[in-house]
Amino acid sequence: MALTLQILTTRLALVCKMDLAKICRTQYPRVICVLLWVTMEIAIIATDLAEVIGTAIGLQLLLKLPLLAGVVLTALDTLVFLLIQKYGIRKLEIFILILLGAIGFCFVIELFIIVPNGVDVMKGFAPNIN
């Protein structure tokens, strides 16, 4: 559903040369526009809240951190990303690339530690009904 809405919004923007918010502002009365704005802000807050709580729970499960510490760490993480973005989008992309490289490096190290059976790994890629 969300992908369909994004595709339709993109098509609308390409045809009308305006984004969805501007089109709503021109087509709907002010009361409806304010109601749409408040609804969207609530949706943004809800998704951000789910992300923060999910990260805090993940940190609690992985590192035994208290939930409050996980929330604070997630907030600091967000502020670091915003600070890096202030210095340019390329710096943010490089930082994210470094993080992804660290994840890949750790994955390769785990593969050398575990030494999985290649046949069993390939069986995992084959679809089955079990």
Side-chain angles (χ1 to χ4, degrees):
M1 183 67 176
L3 181 62
T4 303
L5 289 174
Q6 288 176 353
I7 291 170
L8 291 175
T9 302
T10 304
R11 287 181 182 173
L12 183 67
L14 289 173
V15 171
C16 297
K17 306 280 193 261
M18 293 178 9
D19 59 39
L20 185 59
K22 289 178 184 173
I23 292 173
C24 288
R25 188 175 295 159
T26 61
Q27 298 295 319
Y28 295 122
R30 182 157 174 80
V31 175
I32 299 297
C33 289
V34 170
L35 189 65
L36 286 170
W37 172 65
V38 169
T39 304
M40 292 303 109
E41 289 294 333
I42 290 171
I44 290 168
I45 291 169
T47 56
D48 287 347
L49 187 63
E51 187 175 323
V52 169
I53 291 174
T55 302
I57 291 172
L59 290 172
Q60 183 184 33
L61 292 172
L62 291 172
L63 305 175
K64 307 294 186 218
L65 282 177
L67 282 177
L68 183 59
V71 169
V72 170
L73 191 62
T74 304
L76 290 175
D77 176 18
T78 303
L79 292 175
V80 166
F81 279 116
L82 289 173
L83 180 69
I84 294 172
Q85 185 179 4
K86 179 182 168 186
Y87 293 109
I89 195 71
R90 289 287 176 218
K91 302 233 182 351
L92 180 64
E93 288 174 346
I94 289 169
F95 183 69
I96 292 173
L97 186 64
I98 290 169
L99 291 176
L100 287 173
I103 291 169
F105 181 70
C106 291
F107 181 72
V108 170
I109 288 174
E110 286 180 359
L111 283 177
F112 281 111
I113 292 172
I114 296 171
V115 189
N117 184 354
V119 175
D120 291 337
V121 170
M122 288 301 137
K123 283 182 185 175
F125 285 113
N128 59 21
I129 298 179
N130 299 6

